[in-house]
Amino acid sequence: MPTLRAPLATLLVITLLGLGTASLPSEPHLTPAASYLPRLVVRGGAPAAALLAHTPSASPHDSYRSTGPGIRFADRFRAGSVTKTFVATVVLQLAGEGRLGLSDPVERFLPGLIRGHGNDGRRITLRALLSHTSGLYDYTDDPSARPLSATAAVRTATAHHPAGAPGVFAYSNTNYAVLGLVVRSVTGHPYATEIRRRLLGPLHLDGTSLPGARTALPAPHGRAYSRDPVDGALADVTALDPRTAGAAGELISTLADLNRFYAALLGGRLLPPAQLAALLDTSAAHGSYGLGIFPQRLSCGVTVWGHNGLIAGSYVRAAATRDGRHTLTYRINTDTLAEAGTLEPALLEAEFCPA
């Protein structure tokens, strides 16, 4: 699975403590993960953290908790690479409509774009892009480049030799920059337009947006912080240019919207059965990743599906059971989290494997 290193921190990247809790007014129960939330602040060093869980039961309910100042239930925040699941869903819908095939080469839709330095779009399929098995160099790893369009991002990537062998899982934001261009080639519309038409509108995800060149977060929102790696000073990075992230990570959303999206996706409301099966097929990536979504098997035998997202000032993780009935999204308002390798799994275990 992608790690907290993630994908976009190098593009755009607290020791403020203070504990508090908040809940939905009608909430009758604490979610099992609520007790773990303060650890993200105390041990993880995040300024603030929040989570929203939807649990199935005889009386299904949503449970919201926050820890630390300046973070609220309705806040919009940058969701980073969670964008990839939205893009993958659109591509799979187009496959279900017969407008493209997952075995189609990129060259069919974007002739000549991926060429040079050992890169060849004639040999890279859409499935390879979706599953991060294309071998394409990750354009965000080039410290000298700040591409403001998908085409420029791909050119940055193809100026380098492939970073991995074809068929081997290697997470690369370039894959989704290319997929955004494929969506435009097939539909005649930008990927953001297709996401709005196919996903945001039908699901009433009113807090979710794709900002394009807009640098400000829509209201309501809190602040986003990044730590200087040299002196440890905090910087407010709430405003940023999201164009470098593009189809790989520009999404803005809310806790409630992300839970609703993953519940609908895994519940079979967005994709036909064949495309839903393809979404969850991890064979291309040898179990590490499906198509825009990844599994995490927990100690109790439950596997949760979802994605994480890291961009300057924000980290988010969305996870849900295979049927979409039990969902959890948590976020912090920074891009750094100490002990991430233990804190996040513990939180997921608490929620989906309660004693």
PDB file of all heavy atoms in Angstrom, residues 123-135:
ATOM      1  N   ARG A 123       3.450   0.277 -25.354  1.00  0.00           N
ATOM      2  CA  ARG A 123       3.615  -0.920 -24.532  1.00  0.00           C
ATOM      3  C   ARG A 123       3.020  -0.766 -23.140  1.00  0.00           C
ATOM      4  O   ARG A 123       3.164  -1.664 -22.308  1.00  0.00           O
ATOM      5  CB  ARG A 123       5.111  -1.245 -24.410  1.00  0.00           C
ATOM      6  CG  ARG A 123       5.772  -1.528 -25.755  1.00  0.00           C
ATOM      7  CD  ARG A 123       7.256  -1.801 -25.575  1.00  0.00           C
ATOM      8  NE  ARG A 123       7.899  -2.034 -26.865  1.00  0.00           N
ATOM      9  CZ  ARG A 123       9.208  -2.248 -27.018  1.00  0.00           C
ATOM     10  NH1 ARG A 123       9.991  -2.253 -25.937  1.00  0.00           N
ATOM     11  NH2 ARG A 123       9.713  -2.457 -28.214  1.00  0.00           N
ATOM     12  N   ILE A 124       2.399   0.363 -22.872  1.00  0.00           N
ATOM     13  CA  ILE A 124       1.804   0.622 -21.561  1.00  0.00           C
ATOM     14  C   ILE A 124       0.288   0.623 -21.699  1.00  0.00           C
ATOM     15  O   ILE A 124      -0.270   1.395 -22.479  1.00  0.00           O
ATOM     16  CB  ILE A 124       2.287   1.966 -20.994  1.00  0.00           C
ATOM     17  CG1 ILE A 124       3.792   1.937 -20.780  1.00  0.00           C
ATOM     18  CG2 ILE A 124       1.568   2.290 -19.683  1.00  0.00           C
ATOM     19  CD1 ILE A 124       4.384   3.280 -20.369  1.00  0.00           C
ATOM     20  N   THR A 125      -0.394  -0.237 -20.951  1.00  0.00           N
ATOM     21  CA  THR A 125      -1.846  -0.319 -21.018  1.00  0.00           C
ATOM     22  C   THR A 125      -2.498   0.583 -19.972  1.00  0.00           C
ATOM     23  O   THR A 125      -1.851   1.021 -19.010  1.00  0.00           O
ATOM     24  CB  THR A 125      -2.320  -1.757 -20.784  1.00  0.00           C
ATOM     25  OG1 THR A 125      -2.015  -2.129 -19.425  1.00  0.00           O
ATOM     26  CG2 THR A 125      -1.667  -2.721 -21.763  1.00  0.00           C
ATOM     27  N   LEU A 126      -3.790   0.812 -20.141  1.00  0.00           N
ATOM     28  CA  LEU A 126      -4.526   1.583 -19.139  1.00  0.00           C
ATOM     29  C   LEU A 126      -4.540   0.845 -17.805  1.00  0.00           C
ATOM     30  O   LEU A 126      -4.476   1.472 -16.746  1.00  0.00           O
ATOM     31  CB  LEU A 126      -5.952   1.839 -19.627  1.00  0.00           C
ATOM     32  CG  LEU A 126      -6.095   2.612 -20.937  1.00  0.00           C
ATOM     33  CD1 LEU A 126      -7.562   2.945 -21.191  1.00  0.00           C
ATOM     34  CD2 LEU A 126      -5.246   3.882 -20.951  1.00  0.00           C
ATOM     35  N   ARG A 127      -4.617  -0.480 -17.832  1.00  0.00           N
ATOM     36  CA  ARG A 127      -4.576  -1.240 -16.584  1.00  0.00           C
ATOM     37  C   ARG A 127      -3.246  -1.006 -15.850  1.00  0.00           C
ATOM     38  O   ARG A 127      -3.225  -0.894 -14.627  1.00  0.00           O
ATOM     39  CB  ARG A 127      -4.754  -2.731 -16.852  1.00  0.00           C
ATOM     40  CG  ARG A 127      -4.879  -3.558 -15.571  1.00  0.00           C
ATOM     41  CD  ARG A 127      -4.926  -5.045 -15.883  1.00  0.00           C
ATOM     42  NE  ARG A 127      -6.069  -5.396 -16.704  1.00  0.00           N
ATOM     43  CZ  ARG A 127      -7.286  -5.613 -16.251  1.00  0.00           C
ATOM     44  NH1 ARG A 127      -7.518  -5.516 -14.946  1.00  0.00           N
ATOM     45  NH2 ARG A 127      -8.267  -5.937 -17.075  1.00  0.00           N
ATOM     46  N   ALA A 128      -2.159  -0.929 -16.616  1.00  0.00           N
ATOM     47  CA  ALA A 128      -0.860  -0.685 -15.993  1.00  0.00           C
ATOM     48  C   ALA A 128      -0.814   0.687 -15.332  1.00  0.00           C
ATOM     49  O   ALA A 128      -0.225   0.853 -14.257  1.00  0.00           O
ATOM     50  CB  ALA A 128       0.253  -0.817 -17.024  1.00  0.00           C
ATOM     51  N   LEU A 129      -1.427   1.682 -15.960  1.00  0.00           N
ATOM     52  CA  LEU A 129      -1.498   3.006 -15.340  1.00  0.00           C
ATOM     53  C   LEU A 129      -2.317   2.954 -14.058  1.00  0.00           C
ATOM     54  O   LEU A 129      -1.910   3.478 -13.016  1.00  0.00           O
ATOM     55  CB  LEU A 129      -2.129   4.006 -16.310  1.00  0.00           C
ATOM     56  CG  LEU A 129      -1.383   4.304 -17.619  1.00  0.00           C
ATOM     57  CD1 LEU A 129      -2.228   5.220 -18.489  1.00  0.00           C
ATOM     58  CD2 LEU A 129      -0.017   4.934 -17.356  1.00  0.00           C
ATOM     59  N   LEU A 130      -3.477   2.335 -14.126  1.00  0.00           N
ATOM     60  CA  LEU A 130      -4.383   2.276 -12.980  1.00  0.00           C
ATOM     61  C   LEU A 130      -3.770   1.535 -11.797  1.00  0.00           C
ATOM     62  O   LEU A 130      -4.025   1.874 -10.637  1.00  0.00           O
ATOM     63  CB  LEU A 130      -5.693   1.598 -13.385  1.00  0.00           C
ATOM     64  CG  LEU A 130      -6.621   2.409 -14.298  1.00  0.00           C
ATOM     65  CD1 LEU A 130      -7.621   1.493 -14.989  1.00  0.00           C
ATOM     66  CD2 LEU A 130      -7.350   3.496 -13.503  1.00  0.00           C
ATOM     67  N   SER A 131      -2.967   0.527 -12.072  1.00  0.00           N
ATOM     68  CA  SER A 131      -2.407  -0.324 -11.018  1.00  0.00           C
ATOM     69  C   SER A 131      -0.973   0.049 -10.648  1.00  0.00           C
ATOM     70  O   SER A 131      -0.341  -0.641  -9.838  1.00  0.00           O
ATOM     71  CB  SER A 131      -2.439  -1.789 -11.461  1.00  0.00           C
ATOM     72  OG  SER A 131      -1.663  -1.983 -12.633  1.00  0.00           O
ATOM     73  N   HIS A 132      -0.452   1.115 -11.211  1.00  0.00           N
ATOM     74  CA  HIS A 132       0.923   1.559 -10.948  1.00  0.00           C
ATOM     75  C   HIS A 132       1.944   0.483 -11.316  1.00  0.00           C
ATOM     76  O   HIS A 132       2.915   0.241 -10.585  1.00  0.00           O
ATOM     77  CB  HIS A 132       1.104   1.963  -9.482  1.00  0.00           C
ATOM     78  CG  HIS A 132       0.323   3.168  -9.077  1.00  0.00           C
ATOM     79  ND1 HIS A 132       0.606   4.437  -9.535  1.00  0.00           N
ATOM     80  CD2 HIS A 132      -0.743   3.302  -8.243  1.00  0.00           C
ATOM     81  CE1 HIS A 132      -0.240   5.303  -8.991  1.00  0.00           C
ATOM     82  NE2 HIS A 132      -1.072   4.634  -8.212  1.00  0.00           N
ATOM     83  N   THR A 133       1.743  -0.154 -12.441  1.00  0.00           N
ATOM     84  CA  THR A 133       2.705  -1.152 -12.910  1.00  0.00           C
ATOM     85  C   THR A 133       3.265  -0.771 -14.278  1.00  0.00           C
ATOM     86  O   THR A 133       3.750  -1.627 -15.014  1.00  0.00           O
ATOM     87  CB  THR A 133       2.049  -2.546 -12.977  1.00  0.00           C
ATOM     88  OG1 THR A 133       0.885  -2.505 -13.816  1.00  0.00           O
ATOM     89  CG2 THR A 133       1.653  -3.037 -11.594  1.00  0.00           C
ATOM     90  N   SER A 134       3.201   0.509 -14.625  1.00  0.00           N
ATOM     91  CA  SER A 134       3.683   0.977 -15.929  1.00  0.00           C
ATOM     92  C   SER A 134       5.190   1.153 -15.978  1.00  0.00           C
ATOM     93  O   SER A 134       5.790   1.142 -17.050  1.00  0.00           O
ATOM     94  CB  SER A 134       3.031   2.322 -16.275  1.00  0.00           C
ATOM     95  OG  SER A 134       3.552   3.345 -15.431  1.00  0.00           O
ATOM     96  N   GLY A 135       5.808   1.365 -14.824  1.00  0.00           N
ATOM     97  CA  GLY A 135       7.231   1.672 -14.770  1.00  0.00           C
ATOM     98  C   GLY A 135       7.561   3.129 -14.970  1.00  0.00           C
ATOM     99  O   GLY A 135       8.732   3.524 -14.867  1.00  0.00           O
TER     100      GLY A 135
END
